[in-house]
Amino acid sequence: MTKKILSSTGYLSATSLIEKIGGFIIIPMLTVALTSKEYGSLMLAVSYVGVIMLFIYNGLHSALFRWYSMWQESFDKKLYEKYIFYIVNFVGIFVVLFLSFVHTKLYNLGELLKVDFWLFMATLISSLMMVSYSLKSSVWIIENKPYLNLVFMTIKTIFLVGGVYLFINIYPYAITRPIIEIIVVGILSMYLIYTYVFKYPSLNSAEFIEIKPVLKESLVYGWGLQVSQIAFWVITSSDRIMLANLTNNEFVAYYSILMIGVTVMFIVVAFNNSFSAYYNKMISENLSMKEINQYIFTYLLYGFLAVLVYKLFLFYFSDNIILILSTKEYLVVSKYMYLTSDILLFYFAYLLFSRYLHAYKMVKAVIFITLFSAILNVGLNYILIQEYGILGALVGSILAYLSMGIVSFILIYKKIEFLYMKNLLVLFIGIVAVNFGIDILLYKGGL
């Protein structure tokens, strides 16, 4: 199983990396062809759409991942997947039509949003075009076909970058970028849409009353996760907001460069997506918690060793990283960059521990963990930023992520026999102690 998880993680990491590289390549094309105001409008539209898409998905993307990997229902799970596809697309189309009606008949939404309305709509539609792929990507992970994610994203990125390169100078408008994405993703998704509509079981192949409870629980589970995602947004964004209010925007710029150290977070997320599918299968197959926790023990230990290597890399090469991406002015944060590795470590620990909570649909526990950590983060930021500035914001984030790992461990500790948790407890305490010990030695120049 470890080999499959690592293979899946590799494919998903490569998929995210390809997408990020494509995004970095497109940025200079846009900033050269567009005015700063136009480019800012595009980024603002992207920000709005990111929030709206949370409500369009209704958390059903995450629910699909859980239900599909633990399927125990009598009807075909492809029918459930098809329902999710139709529900998400129906909600998306309704939102598009509703916003268009409000804008044309009732109120100029462009003035409210401070962005051209049709640019906003094109960006929204380009995100909606990704629905079929987003749902299918989860199924490919569960079916041990993560390489299909890499294939889809590589083709999409090549054509999107190529399209922007060819047309942005001919049509130097912000709306050109989302229109190209609509065309590219639309063409690539035609087969996926055709499969959902014509190849999957018809919606009347099972009584709706039989499917309704599953859909209802999916929405409950999904919305619970959305609340926790909002809390995550607070944890990741409150430090910048509070830096701006308690200090000035210059410190926000420094902090943004400092947090480049967590860019490799996509590897942690990729591993979590892979491990989640296998964890859910282990639960559904009634594998003992002793065996399951042995896997967690092993991955936590390997994860710590990997983060330790990354910590030392950041410690010795942070100057080079900063100078590649910015100027000498930002070298002031170089000596703190290695500490960002702590966020990766504690977030990884949280993901491992919280898998039990997700598998057993303990959504309230997940919400409690993330809300508690978000509140703690805001409180620590308020106290530490005033005293220590950028370092205070970073430490506040590290402690918030650590609290997520601790609280999630305590909650599963109460659910699982001590015998199965003892070794994991000792390892977790040891890793936290050793990690902070190394942080102190590096800070004092002892290594």
Short mmCIF file of all heavy atoms in Angstrom, two decimals, residues 12 150 258 278 292:
data_model
loop_
_atom_site.label_atom_id
_atom_site.label_comp_id
_atom_site.label_asym_id
_atom_site.label_seq_id
_atom_site.Cartn_x
_atom_site.Cartn_y
_atom_site.Cartn_z
N LEU A 12 0.17 13.34 -8.14
CA LEU A 12 -0.63 14.51 -7.76
C LEU A 12 0.27 15.72 -7.50
O LEU A 12 -0.11 16.86 -7.82
CB LEU A 12 -1.45 14.19 -6.51
CG LEU A 12 -2.53 13.12 -6.70
CD1 LEU A 12 -3.24 12.84 -5.38
CD2 LEU A 12 -3.54 13.53 -7.76
N LEU A 150 -2.50 14.01 -14.02
CA LEU A 150 -1.30 14.62 -14.59
C LEU A 150 -1.46 14.84 -16.09
O LEU A 150 -1.09 15.90 -16.61
CB LEU A 150 -0.08 13.73 -14.31
CG LEU A 150 1.26 14.22 -14.88
CD1 LEU A 150 1.60 15.60 -14.32
CD2 LEU A 150 2.37 13.23 -14.56
N LEU A 258 8.64 35.92 2.93
CA LEU A 258 9.03 34.93 3.94
C LEU A 258 8.25 33.63 3.78
O LEU A 258 8.82 32.52 3.86
CB LEU A 258 8.79 35.51 5.34
CG LEU A 258 8.90 34.54 6.53
CD1 LEU A 258 10.32 34.02 6.67
CD2 LEU A 258 8.45 35.23 7.82
N TYR A 278 -6.95 5.54 0.70
CA TYR A 278 -6.56 4.24 1.25
C TYR A 278 -6.99 4.10 2.72
O TYR A 278 -7.34 3.01 3.16
CB TYR A 278 -5.04 4.06 1.12
CG TYR A 278 -4.61 3.84 -0.31
CD1 TYR A 278 -4.12 4.89 -1.08
CD2 TYR A 278 -4.73 2.59 -0.90
CE1 TYR A 278 -3.74 4.70 -2.39
CE2 TYR A 278 -4.35 2.39 -2.23
CZ TYR A 278 -3.85 3.44 -2.96
OH TYR A 278 -3.48 3.25 -4.27
N ILE A 292 -3.77 0.25 11.29
CA ILE A 292 -3.92 1.57 10.66
C ILE A 292 -2.99 2.59 11.30
O ILE A 292 -2.31 3.36 10.62
CB ILE A 292 -5.39 2.04 10.77
CG1 ILE A 292 -6.30 1.14 9.93
CG2 ILE A 292 -5.52 3.50 10.31
CD1 ILE A 292 -7.77 1.45 10.07
#
